[in-house]
Amino acid sequence: MSPPSQSGRQTATGIAILLISAIAVAIMPSGAKLAYEAGSAPLTVLLLRCAIGVLLLGSGALAVRGSLRIPRALLGRAVLTGLAASLMSYGFYGAIARIEISLAILIMFTHPFLIAGITHLRGDGSLGGRYLLCGLVAFGGLGLALAVDLSRLDPLGIGLAALGSLACTAMVLGNARLSQEVGSLLSNFYLTLISTAVFALALLGSGDVRLPSGTVGWLGAISTGVAFAVAYATFFAAARIIGVSRASLLSIIEPVFTILLAMALFGETLSALQWIGVALVLGGLFAAEAPGSWLRPSRKA
């Protein structure tokens, strides 16, 4: 058997890095749950998560680049990207206070299709209709896997989830471009630094500082921060290889990993319909990315 081509190796590397990101994303909710059960609160966990992310990403950037400086012309873009990341968190966490978390997640994961549309209109590459069809199959499977509950259709909650999706779109597109210029570690350091400042001000304003108690609670909070840093750094590293649209669409697998990890850690179970949804997510994404598949995009997007 002849060795894979360089482009094939690059694609495999990008997808492998993206799977690391998806696993790290799956760890965050479980770690946060442990912190909540130990008496912490969402805003405190968000601040701890970002502070740990700043420390890890900053240390990594210093080790690789020897400096945390970026060109002054890029500072404005870095600030806007960080604000978009904060707005994404605000939209999502505001939404789950008014609608079921399954519906909020599903709305949030409309962002890969928004990103694909924007990159296509900008002329930055196209995934192709057949590849997007596979993505829609995976998205439909995600709805089944999450067992989306439509019992609380609060308009404001739906609007906040949509805001989160739009902010996520802006954050991903902005940070993908920034990482192309300064590297994934440094771009995510600035994104996380801005988010840390925003959450610190919000927590200062609320005065509701609730740190986790006990070893398990702190391990949960710390694991959330470590996973956050790994997830962001690896996602945008993968996006530099396979393209931001493709990486975003493949990120639909993240909630599936989250569900499976929750099953392992907290004994949660899935219905037969949810397992069908998991199979559709995995099958749709595999069909898009199978070696030699006629569904794969012709160029990086």
Side-chain angles (χ1 to χ4, degrees):
M1 180 181 294
S2 61
S5 66
Q6 180 64 32
S7 60
R9 289 197 296 269
Q10 288 177 336
T11 296
T13 299
I15 293 174
I17 293 172
L18 191 69
L19 288 176
I20 294 172
S21 174
I23 293 170
V25 168
I27 292 171
M28 286 192 279
S30 296
K33 184 174 181 178
L34 292 174
Y36 298 155
E37 290 176 348
S40 193
L43 193 56
T44 304
V45 173
L46 282 171
L47 179 58
L48 289 172
R49 184 185 79 177
C50 287
I52 294 168
V54 166
L55 178 63
L56 294 177
L57 292 166
S59 299
L62 277 174
V64 172
R65 299 175 61 90
S67 172
L68 295 178
R69 292 183 178 181
I70 63 173
R72 184 171 297 181
L74 299 178
L75 280 175
R77 189 189 304 173
V79 170
L80 289 175
T81 301
L83 291 176
S86 303
L87 191 59
M88 175 185 69
S89 296
Y90 171 79
F92 179 71
Y93 285 97
I96 63 176
R98 293 179 171 273
I99 60 177
E100 296 300 326
I101 189 170
S102 58
L103 178 58
I105 292 172
L106 191 66
I107 293 172
M108 279 288 295
F109 270 87
T110 58
H111 77 267
F113 301 98
L114 296 175
I115 290 170
I118 292 171
T119 55
H120 176 74
L121 291 174
R122 289 195 319 201
D124 291 340
S126 177
L127 290 177
R130 290 168 178 167
Y131 194 95
L132 287 173
L133 179 60
C134 283
L136 287 172
V137 170
F139 181 76
L142 180 60
L144 293 177
L146 291 170
V148 173
D149 188 344
L150 301 178
S151 60
R152 288 196 298 162
L153 294 179
D154 179 82
L156 180 56
I158 293 173
L160 286 169
L163 174 65
S165 179
L166 290 171
C168 183
T169 300
M171 181 273 290
V172 170
L173 289 173
N175 203 39
R177 284 202 164 186
L178 190 61
S179 69
Q180 291 282 359
E181 300 190 48
V182 302
S184 180
L185 288 171
L186 195 55
S187 68
N188 283 290
F189 166 75
Y190 277 92
L191 180 152
T192 308
L193 183 65
I194 299 301
S195 297
T196 301
V198 170
F199 291 133
L201 289 173
L203 195 58
L204 183 64
S206 69
D208 186 25
V209 180
R210 283 184 277 167
L211 296 172
S213 61
T215 303
V216 174
W218 274 104
L219 282 176
I222 292 170
S223 68
T224 301
V226 173
F228 172 80
V230 172
Y232 270 56
T234 51
F235 174 85
F236 287 101
R240 294 177 67 184
I241 300 172
I242 63 175
V244 65
S245 295
R246 197 170 171 188
S248 297
L249 196 63
L250 292 175
S251 72
I252 291 175
I253 202 172
E254 291 172 358
V256 172
F257 282 1
T258 302
I259 291 169
L260 296 178
L261 185 61
M263 289 178 62
L265 293 179
F266 303 109
E268 297 183 12
T269 59
L270 297 184
S271 68
L273 194 60
Q274 286 178 288
W275 279 115
I276 292 173
V278 170
L280 284 173
V281 173
L282 297 178
L285 297 181
F286 178 80
E289 289 294 341
S293 172
W294 53 279
L295 292 164
R296 290 178 62 184
S298 58
R299 57 193 178 119
K300 188 169 76 171

